[in-house]
Amino acid sequence: MDEATLQTFGKSLGRCTENPDFLDLFYEHFLASSPKVAEKFARTDFVKQKQALHSSLNLMLRAARDEGSGPPSYLTELAQRHGSKQLAVGAEYYDLWLDSLLATVRMCDPEVSPAVEQAWEKVMGVGIGYLCSRYND
Ligand code: HEM
């Protein structure tokens, strides 16, 4: 992926995470996006979950930066956890996930623009593509 997109994404992620409500707002949007999503998180500890998501957003950036260098081994466990044998998160859920994330970025990044939104879509697209491709593992 081109350096400008990675930079645009990284700066926007930094601005979003300066907002202490960023991860709460994301989960508010995501859980409201479908009863099927809310059901998956029925027994979740959100203090831990928010921390895990925060770290994994940086892993998504790493995967986009390493695009073309083979399968990202640091995403293997995350793919297994979301795959058919465990959480069974199919491709349709990732559309809701990305829409919820973009809605949250629009609220939290004071410098959001079409280019910033595209950078989020492109960077997340790499990680999401990988997770979906490992669904049946
Ligand atoms: C690229 C997108 C995603 C990322 C980066 C991500 C990240 C994570 C991380 C880091 C964890 C914690 C893993 C662990 O505890 O071992 C997790 C758990 C989970 N994720 Fe995702 N996730 C993504 C997409 C989704 C989607 C689309 C769904 C659909 C509902 C989902 C549902 C869940 C659930 C239910 C859990 C377990 C919560 C619990 O422990 O109760 N995730 N995710």
Side-chain angles (χ1 to χ4, degrees), residues 87-108:
L87 294 165
V89 173
E92 71 280 11
Y93 285 94
Y94 288 93
D95 290 340
L96 297 169
W97 191 91
L98 191 54
D99 285 350
S100 306
L101 191 60
L102 288 173
T104 315
V105 171
R106 282 194 285 274
M107 289 175 77
C108 295

Side-chain angles (χ1 to χ4, degrees), residues 1-18:
M1 184 163 304
D2 63 288
E3 195 51 38
T5 302
L6 295 168
Q7 290 279 334
T8 302
F9 170 81
K11 286 185 190 157
S12 174
L13 177 61
R15 291 190 295 269
C16 286
T17 52
E18 271 173 34

Side-chain angles (χ1 to χ4, degrees), residues 30 40-41 44 49 52 56 78 81-82 87 89 93-94 97:
F30 190 34
K40 294 262 186 222
F41 288 102
T44 298
Q49 184 64 20
S56 66
L78 197 64
R81 183 88 175 96
H82 290 77
L87 294 165
V89 173
Y93 285 94
Y94 288 93
W97 191 91

Side-chain angles (χ1 to χ4, degrees), residues 58-134:
N58 286 307
L59 284 188
M60 295 282 121
L61 173 57
R62 190 171 156 198
R65 182 166 280 139
D66 294 350
E67 196 187 15
S69 334
S73 56
Y74 43 86
L75 290 184
T76 307
E77 262 183 49
L78 197 64
Q80 277 170 359
R81 183 88 175 96
H82 290 77
S84 61
K85 297 184 187 69
Q86 295 189 39
L87 294 165
V89 173
E92 71 280 11
Y93 285 94
Y94 288 93
D95 290 340
L96 297 169
W97 191 91
L98 191 54
D99 285 350
S100 306
L101 191 60
L102 288 173
T104 315
V105 171
R106 282 194 285 274
M107 289 175 77
C108 295
D109 181 356
E111 293 178 38
V112 71
S113 66
V116 165
E117 289 190 38
Q118 271 169 30
W120 278 82
E121 281 176 9
K122 281 173 85 175
V123 169
M124 292 300 144
V126 175
I128 289 174
Y130 176 75
L131 297 182
C132 289
S133 75
R134 308 305 296 264

Side-chain angles (χ1 to χ4, degrees), residues 14-53:
R15 291 190 295 269
C16 286
T17 52
E18 271 173 34
N19 183 330
D21 296 329
F22 176 61
L23 295 168
D24 282 315
L25 286 168
F26 166 71
Y27 278 110
E28 261 176 43
H29 280 115
F30 190 34
L31 293 183
S33 70
S34 159
K36 283 168 42 179
V37 171
E39 166 57 27
K40 294 262 186 222
F41 288 102
R43 285 162 296 279
T44 298
D45 170 348
F46 277 97
V47 174
K48 283 191 195 152
Q49 184 64 20
K50 281 187 284 176
Q51 183 56 51
L53 180 68

